[in-house]
Amino acid sequence: MNTADARRVLETALICSPQPLPVRELRVLFDDELGADTIKSLLQELQDEWAQRGVELVCVASGWRFQSRPGMREYLDRLHPEKPPKYTRATLETLAIIAYRQPVTRGDMEDIRGVTINTQILKQLEDRGWVEVIGHREAPGRPALYATTRQFLDDLGLASLDQLPMLESPGRQIEALAGLAGEGDADQPMLQMEVGEAPDAGADADPESLPQVEAVGGVAAPDLPSRPDTPQPPSGDAEAPPSSPEVA
């Protein structure tokens, strides 16, 4: 098989796949006749071929995938004009703490935020597949240790945690995490999530009394598997977050 045919096979498999494909699975396409380095070289060539199109080939934590470019969001959103849902800042704060300080316990998060964390927030983040319990701390009560997942990295379009902006200020970390999905100011960062997937609010949450951040729905490019550029965390919080969380 020549190089052009191999690129065509890779391109077809990636476009038709609903999930990112790692190099080890892409090698199966060629009965392992092509090595990992050769596959990566062909993928880079494909990236160059699609460089001027509205769809790009990217490498995320779980593998390689095609997705719409951020610049196409404005136009693709017109296919789904429903009003974007809003999410509490407390959810973003909790997610940012886990992402930047992992592994952390619930007690660690509460020390950093300065308030008690609603159990529903952690449950929603777990249900979304963004955080998981990876062990327990050797301390009284053996509290669970939380960390982010590969799904979290995939949804934000990242290959590893090293690609998160390295910032010391908790406020800037929250903004940076939100900014991975779009442009927004410090008070109202914009996040993007899968169209039609509006997270449920916490049972005791009052949307009118909590600070809100707006999410922008996104869709994949036409004729490609639907996936978000960078979806957002589910919402819900029972307490009003502090105006300026302090890191211990």
Side-chain angles (χ1 to χ4, degrees), residues 2-8 10-11 14 37-53 57 64 66:
N2 60 40
T3 300
D5 288 340
R7 283 201 306 269
R8 187 177 303 111
L10 289 172
E11 182 180 60
L14 289 166
D37 290 340
T38 301
I39 296 291
K40 291 177 182 178
S41 178
L42 292 172
L43 290 169
Q44 291 172 353
E45 291 178 13
L46 272 178
Q47 280 185 317
D48 294 337
E49 288 182 13
W50 286 75
Q52 303 302 318
R53 305 183 188 180
L57 177 61
W64 293 76
F66 277 104

Side-chain angles (χ1 to χ4, degrees), residues 29-222:
L29 296 168
F30 308 98
D31 288 331
D32 281 337
E33 293 180 2
L34 298 183
D37 290 340
T38 301
I39 296 291
K40 291 177 182 178
S41 178
L42 292 172
L43 290 169
Q44 291 172 353
E45 291 178 13
L46 272 178
Q47 280 185 317
D48 294 337
E49 288 182 13
W50 286 75
Q52 303 302 318
R53 305 183 188 180
V55 173
E56 62 183 344
L57 177 61
V58 299
C59 179
V60 294
S62 297
W64 293 76
R65 74 182 181 196
F66 277 104
Q67 66 183 32
S68 60
R69 292 184 183 276
M72 297 293 102
R73 183 186 309 159
E74 172 187 355
Y75 307 99
L76 298 179
D77 283 350
R78 295 172 186 173
L79 296 175
H80 301 273
E82 58 266 17
K83 184 179 179 181
K86 293 185 177 182
Y87 304 90
T88 64
R89 185 175 180 85
T91 300
L92 289 178
E93 290 177 354
T94 302
L95 181 60
I97 291 170
I98 297 174
Y100 279 92
R101 303 300 180 92
Q102 59 187 301
V104 291
T105 66
R106 178 171 174 173
D108 296 332
M109 301 177 218
E110 293 176 342
D111 287 342
I112 293 172
R113 289 196 59 214
V115 295
T116 300
I117 293 178
N118 185 353
T119 302
Q120 187 66 13
I121 288 182
L122 292 173
K123 182 179 184 301
Q124 288 172 332
L125 290 175
E126 287 183 285
D127 290 345
R128 184 67 178 84
W130 280 13
V131 304
E132 63 182 350
V133 174
I134 62 170
H136 295 80
R137 178 171 293 170
E138 293 298 331
R142 291 180 55 80
L145 289 167
Y146 290 88
T148 54
T149 64
R150 283 184 177 272
Q151 184 66 46
F152 167 76
L153 294 172
D154 289 349
D155 289 348
L156 289 186
L158 304 176
S160 70
L161 290 170
D162 292 340
Q163 294 179 347
L164 283 172
M166 299 307 296
L167 302 169
E168 292 299 326
S169 167
R172 293 295 298 166
Q173 290 172 356
I174 296 167
E175 294 164 19
L177 192 63
L180 290 174
E183 297 178 357
D185 55 35
D187 294 325
Q188 194 146 358
M190 300 194 325
L191 295 174
Q192 185 170 348
M193 67 168 292
E194 202 161 345
V195 170
E197 186 179 344
D200 296 328
D204 300 324
D206 181 0
E208 300 299 326
S209 64
L210 296 172
Q212 304 287 327
V213 289
E214 185 169 337
V216 180
V219 294

